[in-house]
Amino acid sequence: MVPVRKSTKRVFSGDFTPSRKRRRCLPLSVSPAPESVVVVGGADLLDSIPDDLVVSILCKLGSTSRCPADFINVLMTCKRLNGLAMNPLVLSRLSPKAIAVKAHNWSEYSHRFLKRCVDAGSLEASYTLGMIRFYCLQNRGNGASLMAKAAISSHAPALYSLAVIQFNGSGGSKNDKDLRAGVALCARAAFLGHVDALRELGHCLQDGYGVPQNVSEGRRFLVQANARELAAVLSSGMQARSTWLTLSQPPPVPSHGQGCPLLSDFGCNVPAPETHPANKFLAEWFAVRGGENPGDGLRLCSHAGCGRPETRKHEFRRCSVCGVVNYCSRACQALDWKLRHKMDCAPVERWIDEGEGGEGNVQIDGNGNGDNGLLPMS
């Protein structure tokens, strides 16, 4: 029995020890990586991807960015991505939200970046910078030329903005109004599917403003505008899908300042359209610098989603019922009426602004002669 005991001790005191087990597992934990992921000489796997492929990926990222941070984070990643992200092909395809600038963050660097995007061929940057220069920096000629550059390439918002400028004679005198040119620009933007242009053109035809009056054709354009609004809601996945159609009873008018449903011209309950970043910049710019009064007795368009200011006194047309609010276009009047002004508008016996110099008037015929009165909404 003694030898058996000795042999048992030898089994547990032999080569099979815990230290030996750790030494055997150690080579597995430090085994060489596959050749495809080996880092040689400090090189990164990103360096092995061709520049053309990286630029293509950055173009896709820039065109789908939902805020400037999505693009800025790429610039801050590494030196190579910073250089490739500033490629003209990438800059030309940035989404409107990727180049959206906050008014309180406006700086010379922001100005140069937008200019660089313009030079790269970005239509959105041309339109945004054109709006900023025309209305905020009061560089009328250069701002209008930038918007025209985008409009020539069939940029619908730029076409519509130029139409508003022609309707109002913005940047000039009352005699600089060109209603026919405004209608032509509106028609081009409407052909491209711009909802505000469709609505503006419909009201122009109904009122005979700058074009021979044709009520039935005007209603057709308004129906098209509403149809596009509904299509945008149905394709957006918003919660408003379940309540988008309310034909029998209009919804209650929401309180001020809330993003609530907007009743379109023919009774469809759809959410208010999202404001373009350029219009948001205008609204923020003048809110920081004096609220509703841009200075020198000028006024902002009363539609909160517009942001356009007057470029001369009494440039915008007033509500012919109350005379309190003013709008740069019939489209803004229609949107603001359904959103809030329907509850605020109170008729008065007579309203005449003093010191208008003959430019404003109280007529409500809207007959295309350049009068500043707006037809009442119903």
Side-chain angles (χ1 to χ4, degrees), residues 160 163-164 167-168 186 195-210 213 222 265 301 303 306 308 316-320 326-338 363-368 371-378:
Y160 176 69
V164 173
F167 282 134
N168 298 318
C186 248
V195 176
D196 286 342
L198 282 166
R199 183 175 285 107
E200 180 75 20
L201 188 59
H203 284 294
C204 285
L205 286 166
Q206 281 192 331
D207 304 340
Y209 189 77
Q213 189 174 24
L222 293 178
D265 297 276
C301 178
H303 175 41
C306 177
R308 290 181 178 86
F316 292 163
R317 291 171 288 171
R318 299 169 299 184
C319 175
S320 60
N326 55 93
Y327 303 101
C328 67
S329 62
R330 282 302 303 268
C332 282
Q333 183 202 16
L335 290 171
D336 193 58
W337 172 260
K338 301 298 184 181
Q363 297 183 17
I364 61 173
D365 54 3
N367 55 8
D371 292 342
N372 282 10
L374 281 169
L375 283 170
M377 302 296 295
S378 58

Side-chain angles (χ1 to χ4, degrees), residues 68 96 99-108 110-111 114 124 127-138 275-289 291 300 304-309:
I99 59 176
V101 183
K102 298 292 185 181
H104 60 272
N105 293 332
W106 180 254
S107 63
E108 184 60 30
S110 304
H111 201 161
L114 286 178
E124 286 293 341
Y127 170 63
T128 300
L129 187 57
M131 290 280 283
I132 293 173
R133 287 185 177 179
F134 188 89
Y135 288 108
C136 299
L137 306 182
Q138 298 184 10
T275 305
H276 193 279
N279 296 96
K280 287 183 179 179
F281 184 93
L282 297 184
E284 293 173 359
W285 178 275
F286 293 106
V288 172
R289 290 161 176 78
L300 292 176
C306 177
R308 290 181 178 86

Side-chain angles (χ1 to χ4, degrees), residues 37-60:
V37 294
V38 172
V39 176
V40 181
D44 197 313
L45 180 61
L46 179 63
D47 295 334
S48 63
I49 303 178
D51 287 351
D52 294 345
L53 181 57
V54 177
V55 169
S56 177
I57 296 172
L58 293 176
C59 287
K60 181 65 175 179

Side-chain angles (χ1 to χ4, degrees), residues 24-105:
R24 289 174 182 175
C25 295
L26 184 62
L28 296 177
S29 62
V30 295
S31 59
E35 295 182 0
S36 58
V37 294
V38 172
V39 176
V40 181
D44 197 313
L45 180 61
L46 179 63
D47 295 334
S48 63
I49 303 178
D51 287 351
D52 294 345
L53 181 57
V54 177
V55 169
S56 177
I57 296 172
L58 293 176
C59 287
K60 181 65 175 179
L61 174 65
S63 63
T64 57
S65 296
R66 294 177 293 179
C67 64
D70 292 345
F71 183 70
I72 294 174
N73 289 336
V74 175
L75 300 178
M76 299 174 61
T77 302
C78 65
K79 185 176 181 180
R80 185 185 183 211
L81 286 182
N82 187 296
L84 293 178
M86 300 304 288
N87 185 290
L89 185 60
V90 177
L91 296 180
S92 66
R93 299 188 180 182
L94 291 179
S95 66
K97 294 183 179 180
I99 59 176
V101 183
K102 298 292 185 181
H104 60 272
N105 293 332

